[in-house]
Every structure is written in structure tokens, then in C-alpha cells.
């Protein structure tokens, strides 16, 4: 059998690549799955993406592009089921995948690629049932997130940690976004180094392109002159959008005249623990006395998102934890400088083309932002460096590396713990009475 895959089964239980990134549970994972699937299809590789059906109107089978099918599996109620409750539906989801596979030849798929730990649990079973290699991408990890919790945020449950450990053991190959994430897999999850491959995510270099800032502002109905600070992402404590508002308040405290020329835009929707206070940011803007300069914008399609990036003077990415940071690389591809937290994969995403800030002290962040706002030449220089940096992160390069991982997994496939005699998940058969 050749090591070149002809058909790939991707699994993304909790969010569909068809959903709008920036709200609910849709984010960088959605973009990653959709873009790599499309790139694989361009290479003549068929991709089936299995995801949970969340509305009765959603077709069972849809097409993302020719060669990429999205198969919606019914598992639990369509609406009102948060991600935290999805572990209880993994059996139903797995049964749905097995049912879908009954009509396929036994050797139909060459590799299973699961995304996020929930999908990894399902992928473990599917790869064993189909006798093919399992490749897994964590995207985020409980033990990492729990080390960098925002104040008042809820830690990830121990059940998720256990589930992630099991997936690490079961996978034939683990894909890490950065060298730092690879170290975390090895040090925090005891992943064998030989199983871990680094594959940086990409950016759509045909959509996220440089453009005229004033033209972008006109198109978006924004003031042509003045300073625009932008946050893009899901509204939840992990992403720290509140820091942007505190920075804006501090800027106005230092220079009240700046109010006439400052606009702060928060583009995204509530998600995760942020759903507990869906209007928390609006309330914070009122408390800080900056509601008049803040705009809250619902998630938009990517061509419009690119216009927002072009319109901004600076994009802030203040996350407490980030496996990579697609927002940062998208903004840079549009020529907009990024000020980001020095955490997780953001140093890789930002490189030397942006500013990294340690910690989440509002005054420290304000110092960095203010320095760039008053130095137009430095902003322009960083903008040019950003374009050069982002040019090396196209999805074609990501998919080339991903294909190499698939080939290695197919060639070196090991037996999963199920096949090696573990009758219960994580429990050797010898200890079962």
C-alpha cells in the first residue's frame, strides 16, 4: 500500500467548518479544518469532515468545495447543548460515524485526522475500527489553559485532561502548531517526541492582503482620520478583550484630547465562559466612561474582516493562552502591526514583525500601544515587516507539511490501545474482573 493518502476523514465534533468564526465555539479551528481540507482537495485528495448537526435545517451531507464533503452527525439536541456537555454525546456521535461508514469499503479512508480532544476520542475509535492511522491536532490543551487562566475564569475539568492523555497515547502522530506546543505535549502529556510534528497553521494570502487604510475605513463607514484599535475574536475571558478597553481608558486618561480621534472596535461574539455575561464588555465600557469611542461589531465574512484589519492602526491580541493566533497572522498579512501577549504560539505568529507584551497589566500595554500610535514611521516599518512575515504562512505550505505527517503516520502506524488488549478505555484487560 502506498503511503500517499487518497481519502482523509477529518473529525471536528464541537464545531463545523461551515460556521462563522468569531462566535459560539467557532474560531481558528474552523478555519484550520476548512482551509487544509480545501488544499488537500486541490491536490486530488478526497476529504470527508464529520461534525455534529446543530440545527434541523442542516443537511446531512453538504459540500464545502468539490472533493470536500461535510457530514453532519446527529448526536444530542440540535441547540442549547454547550461544549462542556458534549462528552456525554461522544458515544452517539461515534455511532453515527460508524453507521455512515457501513456503506463504505473497509479500506475507504487512509487516515483519520481529529481536531480537539473531543474529536480525538471519536477518532481513536474510528481509526481502530477502520484500521487506519490516527493523526490528532489538539488546538488547545487543558493543562496549558489551566496554567494561564484569566482572573475569575473557570478551569478546564479533570475529565478533559484525562481524555487528552488518552488521545495522546492513542494517536499515531500528533500535530503541534509551534515548537512551544510540541514541548508542552512532551512535557505535560508525556507524548513521545517521535510522534510529535510541528506544522504551523496558515493564512489565506488571497483574501488577507494589504490595502489602503483610508479606502477601508470609507468602505466600513469609519472615520477616515484618527486612531483605530481593533480586537478580533471570541468574547470570553481567555481572549482578554477587556484589556483593550482598559488600554483605551488609560490612553484617554493620559491625553483627554485623544477622545476626538480614538475609535476602539471589538469584533466578535460571546463564547465559552463569556456567555455567562454576554453584555459584560458593554457594561465595562460604560463603567470606564469610554462607551462613546467603542464599537461592538458582530462577526463578519472574511473579505469584510480583511477590510477591518486594513482599516486599523493596530490590532491587539491580548489572550491569556493561544495555541497559535490566526488573528495575528491575518492582520499582518493585511499590513497592520500587531501588539500581542507573549504567550503560547503568539511569538511564532507575530515573529519580529510585531510587539510582544509580557503579562496583562493595562499600563504596560498602554505604553506599548501609545508608543506606536505616536510613531507613524515605526508603524509603517512594522507594517512592511508584517507583510513579509505573513507571506511565509500560506495554507499551501501548511498542507505540504501536513501531508508529510499523514505519510509518516500511514507508514509507521502503530496499534491503538484498543487493539493491544485494553478492554476498557485506559484500563488494561488484566485488571478487569
Amino acid at each position: 500500500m502506498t503511503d500517499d493518502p487518497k481519502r482523509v476523514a477529518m473529525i471536528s465534533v464541537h464545531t463545523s467548518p461551515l460556521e462563522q468564526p468569531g462566535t459560539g465555539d467557532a474560531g481558528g479551528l474552523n478555519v484550520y479544518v476548512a482551509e487544509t481540507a480545501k488544499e488537500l482537495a486541490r491536490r486530488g485528495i478526497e476529504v470527508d469532515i464529520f461534525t455534529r448537526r446543530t440545527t434541523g435545517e442542516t443537511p446531512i451531507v453538504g459540500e464545502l468545495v468539490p472533493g470536500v464533503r461535510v457530514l453532519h452527525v446527529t448526536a444530542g439536541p440540535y441547540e442549547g447543548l454547550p461544549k462542556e456537555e458534549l462528552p456525554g454525546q461522544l458515544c452517539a456521535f461515534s455511532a453515527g460515524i460508524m453507521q455512515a461508514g457501513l456503506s463504505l469499503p473497509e479500506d475507504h479512508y487512509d487516515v483519520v485526522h481529529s481536531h480537539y480532544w473531543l474529536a480525538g476520542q471519536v477518532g481513536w475509535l474510528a481509526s481502530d475500527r477502520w484500521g487506519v492511522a490516527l493523526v490528532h491536532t489538539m488546538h488547545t490543551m487543558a493543562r496549558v489553559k489551566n496554567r494561564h487562566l484569566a482572573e475569575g475564569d473557570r478551569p478546564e475539568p479533570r475529565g478533559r485532561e484525562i481524555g487528552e492523555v488518552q488521545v495522546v497515547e492513542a494517536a499515531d502522530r500528533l500535530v503541534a502548531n509551534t515548537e512551544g506546543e510540541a514541548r508542552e505535549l512532551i512535557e505535560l502529556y508525556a507524548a513521545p517526541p517521535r510522534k510529535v510534528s510541528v506544522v504551523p497553521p496558515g493564512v489565506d494570502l488571497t483574501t488577507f492582503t494589504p490595502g489602503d487604510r483610508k479606502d477601508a475605513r470609507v468602505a466600513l463607514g469609519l472615520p477616515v482620520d484618527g486612531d483605530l484599535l481593533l480586537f478580533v475574536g471570541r468574547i470570553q475571558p481567555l481572549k482578554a478583550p477587556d484589556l483593550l478597553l482598559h488600554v483605551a481608558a488609560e490612553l484617554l486618561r493620559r491625553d483627554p484630547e485623544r477622545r476626538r480621534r480614538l475609535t476602539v472596535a471589538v469584533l466578535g461574539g460571546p463564547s465559552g465562559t463569556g456567555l455567562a455575561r454576554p453584555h459584560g464588555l458593554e457594561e465595562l465600557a460604560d463603567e470606564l466612561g469610554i462607551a462613546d469611542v467603542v464599537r461592538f461589531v458582530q462577526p463578519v465574512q472574511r473579505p469584510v474582516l480583511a477590510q477591518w484589519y486594513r482599516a486599523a492602526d493596530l490590532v491587539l491580541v491580548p489572550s491569556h493562552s493561544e495555541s497559535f493566533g490566526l488573528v495575528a497572522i491575518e492582520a499582518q498579512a493585511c499590513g497592520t502591526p500587531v501588539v500581542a501577549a507573549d504567550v503560547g504560539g503568539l511569538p511564532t505568529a507575530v515573529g519580529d514583525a510585531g510587539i510582544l507584551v509580557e503579562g496583562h497589566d493595562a499600563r504596560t500595554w498602554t505604553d506599548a500601544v501609545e508608543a506606536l500610535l505616536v510613531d507613524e514611521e515605526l508603524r509603517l516599518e512594522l507594517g512592511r515587516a508584517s507583510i513579509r512575515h505573513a507571506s511565509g504562512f500560506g495554507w499551501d505550505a501548511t498542507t505540504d507539511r501536513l501531508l508529510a505527517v499523514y505519510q509518516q503516520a500511514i507508514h509507521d502506524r502503530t496499534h491503538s490501545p484498543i487493539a493491544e488488549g485494553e478492554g476498557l478505555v485506559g484500563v488494561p484487560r488484566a485488571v478487569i474482573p
Side-chain angles (χ1 to χ4, degrees):
M1 182 182 71
T2 177
D3 296 335
D4 296 325
K6 295 181 176 60
R7 299 183 188 89
V8 176
M10 287 193 184
I11 304 176
S12 175
V13 172
H14 74 290
T15 183
S16 167
L18 301 179
E19 293 178 2
Q20 171 65 52
T23 189
D25 292 316
L29 184 153
N30 298 65
V31 177
Y32 187 107
V33 171
E35 294 302 318
T36 54
K38 289 190 288 187
E39 283 292 333
L40 288 169
R42 291 188 185 103
R43 290 160 167 77
I45 299 169
E46 296 178 15
V47 181
D48 283 348
I49 303 171
F50 293 90
T51 190
R52 197 175 78 88
R53 196 179 188 199
T54 56
T55 71
E57 293 73 33
T58 303
I60 298 296
V61 181
E63 185 179 69
L64 184 62
V65 296
V68 180
R69 298 192 306 168
V70 180
L71 294 88
H72 294 94
V73 178
T74 299
Y78 292 144
E79 298 175 354
L81 191 66
K83 182 171 63 175
E84 292 76 17
E85 296 183 18
L86 285 178
Q89 299 304 318
L90 293 184
C91 181
F93 191 94
S94 299
I97 287 187
M98 295 300 100
Q99 184 68 32
L102 290 177
S103 61
L104 301 174
E106 189 169 329
D107 59 350
H108 182 76
Y109 297 114
D110 300 299
V111 65
V112 172
H113 187 174
S114 53
H115 296 268
Y116 192 67
W117 79 276
L118 294 170
Q121 290 278 316
V122 177
W124 177 11
L125 176 62
S127 67
D128 187 81
R129 171 64 181 82
W130 294 332
V132 299
L134 173 63
V135 174
H136 181 73
T137 304
M138 284 288 195
H139 292 280
T140 64
M141 293 179 280
R143 289 176 177 172
V144 176
K145 292 179 70 173
N146 287 345
R147 286 186 169 197
H148 303 281
L149 279 179
E151 184 177 350
D153 202 4
R154 185 173 64 243
E156 294 295 316
R158 178 156 172 74
R160 175 179 173 180
E161 291 189 29
I162 295 170
E164 289 176 343
V165 170
Q166 292 168 335
V167 173
V168 167
E169 292 175 349
D172 295 284
R173 281 292 185 279
L174 297 161
V175 176
N177 289 330
T178 64
E179 294 288 349
E181 186 180 352
R183 287 192 298 271
E184 290 165 344
L185 280 165
I186 294 167
E187 295 170 3
L188 300 181
Y189 289 86
R194 63 174 180 78
K195 286 173 56 171
V196 182
S197 300
V198 177
V199 180
V203 60
D204 181 355
L205 295 172
T206 62
T207 298
F208 298 103
T209 59
D212 184 81
R213 178 164 287 113
K214 289 187 177 181
D215 288 347
R217 292 186 178 188
V218 169
L220 295 171
L222 296 168
V224 173
D225 298 316
D227 302 325
L228 173 60
L229 305 181
L230 176 64
F231 169 91
V232 174
R234 288 170 287 160
I235 309 303
Q236 59 183 137
L238 176 72
K239 301 292 185 180
D242 59 298
L243 184 57
L244 176 66
L245 302 190
H246 284 289
V247 168
E250 178 64 15
L251 284 171
L252 297 182
R253 188 193 67 78
R254 296 180 183 184
D255 180 9
E257 291 298 315
R258 187 184 292 276
R259 187 179 292 272
R260 295 185 293 107
R261 62 182 188 275
L262 179 65
T263 302
V264 176
V266 178
L267 198 161
S271 172
T273 54
L275 291 168
R277 290 187 61 203
H279 302 292
L281 281 186
E282 289 95 327
E283 295 168 2
L284 178 60
D286 286 333
E287 293 172 10
L288 295 173
I290 61 170
D292 57 314
V293 303
V294 181
R295 296 194 180 198
F296 293 97
V297 184
Q298 291 299 307
V300 295
Q301 296 296 320
R302 288 193 296 175
V304 181
L305 176 58
Q307 289 284 55
W308 276 99
Y309 287 137
R310 297 182 193 114
D313 291 287
L314 298 173
V315 171
L316 275 63
V317 187
S319 305
H320 289 274
S321 176
E322 199 72 63
S323 62
F324 183 68
L326 286 179
V327 166
I329 203 73
E330 289 172 351
Q332 289 183 315
C334 294
T336 302
V338 171
V339 181
D342 190 5
V343 298
L346 284 170
T348 300
V350 173
D352 296 330
I355 303 297
L356 295 170
V357 182
E358 291 188 12
H360 290 80
D361 177 72
R363 288 171 296 182
T364 303
W365 275 76
T366 305
D367 291 342
V369 169
E370 188 175 38
L372 290 175
L373 289 179
V374 301
D375 192 338
E376 183 178 7
E377 184 53 43
L378 178 57
R379 289 204 315 276
L380 292 173
E381 180 182 333
L382 285 176
R384 291 188 290 269
S386 295
I387 296 169
R388 292 193 298 270
H389 176 70
S391 67
F393 286 87
W395 284 111
D396 55 342
T398 297
T399 307
D400 286 342
R401 296 186 180 99
L402 198 56
L403 265 175
V405 175
Y406 289 170
Q407 291 164 348
Q408 292 166 358
I410 292 170
H411 183 269
D412 300 333
R413 181 178 183 262
T414 59
H415 294 292
S416 81
I418 294 176
E420 291 177 351
E422 293 193 358
L424 296 177
V425 176
V427 181
R429 188 178 299 278
V431 302
I432 303 172

Coordinates of all heavy atoms in Angstrom, one line a residue, residues 184-239:
E184 N 5.1 21.4 25.1 CA 4.1 21.2 26.0 C 3.5 19.8 25.9 O 3.2 19.1 27.0 CB 3.0 22.2 25.8 CG 3.4 23.6 26.2 CD 2.5 24.7 25.7 OE1 1.7 24.4 24.8 OE2 2.6 25.8 26.2
L185 N 3.3 19.3 24.7 CA 2.8 17.9 24.5 C 3.8 16.9 25.2 O 3.3 15.9 25.8 CB 2.6 17.6 23.1 CG 1.4 18.1 22.4 CD1 1.5 18.1 20.9 CD2 0.1 17.3 22.8
I186 N 5.0 17.1 25.0 CA 6.0 16.2 25.5 C 6.2 16.3 27.0 O 6.2 15.3 27.8 CB 7.4 16.4 24.8 CG1 7.3 16.1 23.3 CG2 8.5 15.6 25.5 CD1 8.5 16.6 22.5
E187 N 6.2 17.5 27.6 CA 6.5 17.7 29.0 C 5.2 17.6 29.8 O 5.3 17.1 31.0 CB 7.1 19.1 29.2 CG 8.4 19.3 28.6 CD 8.9 20.8 28.6 OE1 8.2 21.6 29.1 OE2 10.0 21.0 28.0
L188 N 4.1 18.0 29.3 CA 2.8 18.0 30.2 C 2.0 16.7 29.9 O 1.2 16.4 30.8 CB 2.0 19.2 29.9 CG 2.6 20.6 30.2 CD1 1.6 21.7 29.9 CD2 3.1 20.6 31.6
Y189 N 2.2 16.1 28.7 CA 1.4 14.9 28.4 C 2.2 13.7 28.1 O 1.6 12.7 27.7 CB 0.5 15.3 27.2 CG -0.7 16.2 27.5 CD1 -0.4 17.6 27.5 CD2 -1.9 15.8 27.9 CE1 -1.5 18.5 27.8 CE2 -2.9 16.7 28.3 CZ -2.7 18.0 28.2 OH -3.7 18.9 28.5
A190 N 3.5 13.7 28.3 CA 4.4 12.6 28.1 C 4.3 12.0 26.7 O 4.4 10.8 26.5 CB 4.1 11.5 29.1
A191 N 4.0 12.9 25.7 CA 4.0 12.4 24.3 C 5.4 12.0 23.9 O 6.4 12.8 24.1 CB 3.5 13.6 23.4
P192 N 5.5 10.9 23.2 CA 6.8 10.5 22.7 C 7.3 11.5 21.6 O 6.5 11.8 20.7 CB 6.6 9.1 22.1 CG 5.3 8.6 22.8 CD 4.5 9.8 23.0
P193 N 8.5 12.1 21.8 CA 8.9 13.1 20.8 C 8.8 12.6 19.3 O 8.5 13.4 18.5 CB 10.4 13.3 21.2 CG 10.4 13.0 22.7 CD 9.5 11.9 22.8
R194 N 9.0 11.3 19.1 CA 9.0 10.8 17.7 C 7.6 11.0 17.1 O 7.4 11.0 15.9 CB 9.4 9.4 17.6 CG 8.5 8.5 18.4 CD 8.8 7.0 18.2 NE 7.9 6.1 19.0 CZ 6.7 5.8 18.7 NH1 6.2 6.3 17.5 NH2 5.9 5.1 19.4
K195 N 6.5 11.1 18.0 CA 5.2 11.2 17.5 C 4.7 12.6 17.2 O 3.7 12.8 16.6 CB 4.2 10.5 18.5 CG 4.2 9.0 18.5 CD 3.4 8.4 19.7 CE 2.0 8.9 19.7 NZ 1.1 8.1 20.6
V196 N 5.5 13.6 17.6 CA 5.1 15.0 17.5 C 5.7 15.7 16.3 O 7.0 15.6 16.2 CB 5.5 15.7 18.8 CG1 5.0 17.2 18.8 CG2 4.9 15.0 20.1
S197 N 4.9 16.3 15.5 CA 5.4 17.0 14.4 C 4.9 18.4 14.4 O 3.7 18.7 14.8 CB 4.9 16.4 13.0 OG 5.4 15.0 12.9
V198 N 5.7 19.4 14.1 CA 5.3 20.8 14.1 C 4.9 21.2 12.7 O 5.6 21.1 11.8 CB 6.5 21.7 14.6 CG1 6.1 23.2 14.5 CG2 6.9 21.3 16.0
V199 N 3.6 21.7 12.7 CA 3.0 22.2 11.4 C 2.3 23.5 11.7 O 1.2 23.5 12.2 CB 2.0 21.2 10.8 CG1 1.4 21.7 9.5 CG2 2.7 19.8 10.6
P200 N 3.0 24.6 11.4 CA 2.4 25.9 11.7 C 1.1 26.1 10.8 O 1.1 25.7 9.7 CB 3.4 26.9 11.3 CG 4.7 26.2 11.3 CD 4.4 24.8 10.9
P201 N 0.0 26.7 11.4 CA -1.1 27.0 10.6 C -0.8 28.1 9.6 O 0.3 28.6 9.6 CB -2.1 27.5 11.6 CG -1.7 27.0 12.9 CD -0.2 26.9 12.8
G202 N -1.8 28.3 8.7 CA -1.5 29.3 7.6 C -2.5 30.4 7.6 O -3.2 30.7 8.6
V203 N -2.4 31.2 6.6 CA -3.3 32.3 6.4 C -3.7 32.4 4.9 O -2.9 32.0 4.0 CB -2.6 33.6 6.8 CG1 -1.3 33.9 6.0 CG2 -3.6 34.8 6.7
D204 N -4.9 32.8 4.6 CA -5.4 32.9 3.2 C -4.8 34.2 2.6 O -5.3 35.3 2.8 CB -6.9 33.0 3.2 CG -7.5 33.1 1.8 OD1 -6.7 33.2 0.9 OD2 -8.7 33.1 1.7
L205 N -3.7 34.0 1.9 CA -3.0 35.2 1.3 C -3.7 35.8 0.1 O -3.2 36.8 -0.4 CB -1.5 34.7 1.0 CG -0.7 34.3 2.2 CD1 0.6 33.7 1.7 CD2 -0.5 35.5 3.1
T206 N -4.8 35.2 -0.3 CA -5.5 35.8 -1.4 C -6.6 36.7 -0.9 O -7.1 37.6 -1.6 CB -6.2 34.7 -2.3 OG1 -7.1 33.9 -1.6 CG2 -5.1 33.8 -2.9
T207 N -7.1 36.5 0.3 CA -8.1 37.3 1.0 C -7.5 38.4 1.9 O -7.9 39.6 1.8 CB -9.1 36.5 1.8 OG1 -9.7 35.5 0.9 CG2 -10.1 37.3 2.5
F208 N -6.5 38.0 2.7 CA -5.9 38.9 3.6 C -4.7 39.5 2.9 O -3.6 38.9 3.0 CB -5.6 38.2 4.9 CG -6.8 37.7 5.6 CD1 -7.1 36.3 5.6 CD2 -7.6 38.5 6.3 CE1 -8.3 35.9 6.2 CE2 -8.8 38.1 6.9 CZ -9.1 36.7 6.9
T209 N -4.9 40.6 2.3 CA -3.8 41.3 1.5 C -3.8 42.8 2.0 O -4.7 43.3 2.5 CB -4.2 41.3 0.0 OG1 -5.5 41.9 -0.2 CG2 -4.2 39.8 -0.5
P210 N -2.6 43.4 1.7 CA -2.5 44.8 2.1 C -3.5 45.7 1.3 O -3.9 45.3 0.2 CB -1.1 45.2 1.7 CG -0.4 43.9 1.7 CD -1.4 42.9 1.2
G211 N -3.8 46.8 1.8 CA -4.7 47.7 1.1 C -4.7 49.1 1.7 O -4.1 49.3 2.7
D212 N -5.3 50.1 1.0 CA -5.3 51.5 1.5 C -6.2 51.6 2.8 O -7.3 51.2 2.8 CB -5.8 52.4 0.4 CG -5.7 53.8 0.8 OD1 -4.6 54.4 0.7 OD2 -6.7 54.4 1.3
R213 N -5.6 52.2 3.8 CA -6.3 52.3 5.1 C -7.5 53.2 5.0 O -8.6 52.9 5.5 CB -5.3 52.8 6.2 CG -6.0 53.0 7.5 CD -5.0 53.2 8.6 NE -4.4 51.9 8.9 CZ -3.1 51.6 8.7 NH1 -2.3 52.5 8.2 NH2 -2.6 50.4 9.0
K214 N -7.4 54.3 4.3 CA -8.5 55.2 4.2 C -9.6 54.6 3.4 O -10.8 54.8 3.7 CB -8.0 56.6 3.5 CG -7.1 57.4 4.5 CD -6.8 58.8 3.9 CE -6.0 59.6 4.9 NZ -5.7 60.9 4.3
D215 N -9.3 53.9 2.3 CA -10.3 53.3 1.5 C -11.1 52.3 2.3 O -12.3 52.1 2.2 CB -9.7 52.6 0.3 CG -9.2 53.6 -0.8 OD1 -9.6 54.8 -0.7 OD2 -8.5 53.2 -1.7
A216 N -10.4 51.5 3.2 CA -11.0 50.5 4.0 C -11.9 51.2 5.0 O -13.1 50.7 5.3 CB -9.9 49.7 4.7
R217 N -11.5 52.3 5.5 CA -12.4 53.0 6.5 C -13.6 53.6 5.9 O -14.7 53.5 6.4 CB -11.6 54.1 7.2 CG -10.5 53.6 8.1 CD -9.8 54.7 8.9 NE -8.8 54.1 9.8 CZ -8.1 54.8 10.7 NH1 -8.4 56.1 10.9 NH2 -7.2 54.2 11.5
V218 N -13.5 54.1 4.7 CA -14.6 54.6 4.0 C -15.6 53.4 3.7 O -16.8 53.6 3.9 CB -14.2 55.2 2.6 CG1 -15.4 55.5 1.8 CG2 -13.5 56.5 2.9
A219 N -15.1 52.3 3.3 CA -16.0 51.1 3.0 C -16.7 50.6 4.2 O -17.8 50.1 4.1 CB -15.1 50.0 2.4
L220 N -16.1 50.8 5.4 CA -16.7 50.3 6.6 C -17.5 51.4 7.4 O -18.1 51.2 8.4 CB -15.6 49.8 7.6 CG -14.9 48.6 7.1 CD1 -13.7 48.3 8.0 CD2 -15.8 47.3 7.0
G221 N -17.5 52.6 6.8 CA -18.2 53.7 7.4 C -17.5 54.2 8.7 O -18.2 54.7 9.6
L222 N -16.2 54.2 8.7 CA -15.4 54.6 9.9 C -14.8 56.0 9.6 O -14.7 56.4 8.5 CB -14.3 53.6 10.2 CG -14.7 52.2 10.6 CD1 -13.5 51.2 10.5 CD2 -15.3 52.2 12.0
P223 N -14.5 56.7 10.7 CA -13.8 58.0 10.5 C -12.5 57.8 9.7 O -11.7 56.9 10.0 CB -13.5 58.5 11.9 CG -14.5 57.8 12.7 CD -14.7 56.4 12.1
V224 N -12.3 58.6 8.7 CA -11.1 58.4 7.8 C -9.8 58.8 8.6 O -8.8 58.1 8.4 CB -11.2 59.3 6.6 CG1 -9.9 59.3 5.8 CG2 -12.4 58.8 5.7
D225 N -9.9 59.8 9.5 CA -8.8 60.2 10.2 C -8.9 59.6 11.7 O -10.0 59.2 12.1 CB -8.7 61.7 10.3 CG -8.4 62.3 8.9 OD1 -7.6 61.7 8.1 OD2 -9.1 63.3 8.5
G226 N -7.8 59.8 12.4 CA -7.9 59.3 13.8 C -7.2 57.9 14.0 O -6.7 57.3 13.0
D227 N -7.3 57.5 15.2 CA -6.6 56.2 15.6 C -7.7 55.1 15.8 O -8.7 55.3 16.4 CB -5.8 56.3 16.9 CG -4.8 57.4 16.8 OD1 -4.2 57.6 15.7 OD2 -4.5 58.1 17.8
L228 N -7.4 53.9 15.2 CA -8.4 52.8 15.4 C -7.6 51.6 15.9 O -6.7 51.1 15.3 CB -9.0 52.4 14.0 CG -9.8 51.2 14.0 CD1 -11.0 51.3 14.9 CD2 -10.3 50.8 12.5
L229 N -8.1 51.2 17.1 CA -7.5 50.0 17.8 C -8.6 48.9 17.6 O -9.8 49.1 17.8 CB -7.3 50.2 19.3 CG -6.4 51.4 19.7 CD1 -6.3 51.4 21.2 CD2 -5.0 51.2 19.0
L230 N -8.1 47.7 17.2 CA -9.0 46.6 16.9 C -8.7 45.3 17.6 O -7.6 44.9 17.8 CB -8.9 46.3 15.4 CG -9.7 45.1 14.8 CD1 -11.2 45.4 14.9 CD2 -9.4 44.9 13.3
F231 N -9.8 44.7 18.1 CA -9.7 43.3 18.7 C -10.6 42.5 17.8 O -11.8 42.8 17.5 CB -10.2 43.3 20.2 CG -10.4 41.9 20.7 CD1 -9.4 41.2 21.4 CD2 -11.7 41.3 20.5 CE1 -9.6 40.0 21.8 CE2 -11.9 40.0 21.0 CZ -10.8 39.3 21.7
V232 N -10.2 41.3 17.5 CA -11.0 40.3 16.7 C -10.9 39.0 17.4 O -9.8 38.5 17.7 CB -10.4 40.2 15.3 CG1 -11.2 39.0 14.5 CG2 -10.5 41.5 14.5
G233 N -12.0 38.4 17.7 CA -12.1 37.1 18.3 C -13.3 36.8 19.1 O -14.2 37.7 19.2
R234 N -13.4 35.6 19.7 CA -14.5 35.3 20.6 C -14.4 36.1 21.9 O -13.4 36.3 22.4 CB -14.5 33.8 20.8 CG -14.9 33.0 19.6 CD -14.7 31.5 19.8 NE -13.3 31.2 19.8 CZ -12.7 30.1 20.3 NH1 -13.5 29.2 20.9 NH2 -11.5 29.8 20.2
I235 N -15.6 36.5 22.3 CA -15.6 37.3 23.5 C -15.7 36.4 24.8 O -16.8 35.9 25.1 CB -16.9 38.3 23.5 CG1 -16.9 39.1 22.2 CG2 -16.8 39.2 24.7 CD1 -15.6 39.9 21.9
Q236 N -14.6 36.1 25.4 CA -14.5 35.3 26.5 C -13.2 35.7 27.3 O -12.3 36.3 26.8 CB -14.5 33.8 26.2 CG -13.3 33.4 25.3 CD -13.3 32.0 24.8 OE1 -13.1 31.6 23.7 NE2 -13.6 31.1 25.8
P237 N -13.2 35.4 28.6 CA -12.1 35.8 29.4 C -10.7 35.3 28.9 O -9.7 36.1 29.0 CB -12.3 35.2 30.8 CG -13.8 35.1 30.9 CD -14.3 34.8 29.5
L238 N -10.7 34.1 28.3 CA -9.4 33.6 27.8 C -8.8 34.6 26.8 O -7.6 34.7 26.7 CB -9.7 32.2 27.1 CG -8.5 31.6 26.4 CD1 -7.5 31.1 27.5 CD2 -8.9 30.4 25.6
K239 N -9.6 35.2 25.9 CA -9.1 36.1 24.9 C -8.8 37.5 25.4 O -8.2 38.3 24.7 CB -10.1 36.2 23.7 CG -10.5 34.8 23.1 CD -9.3 34.2 22.4 CE -9.7 32.9 21.6 NZ -8.5 32.3 20.9

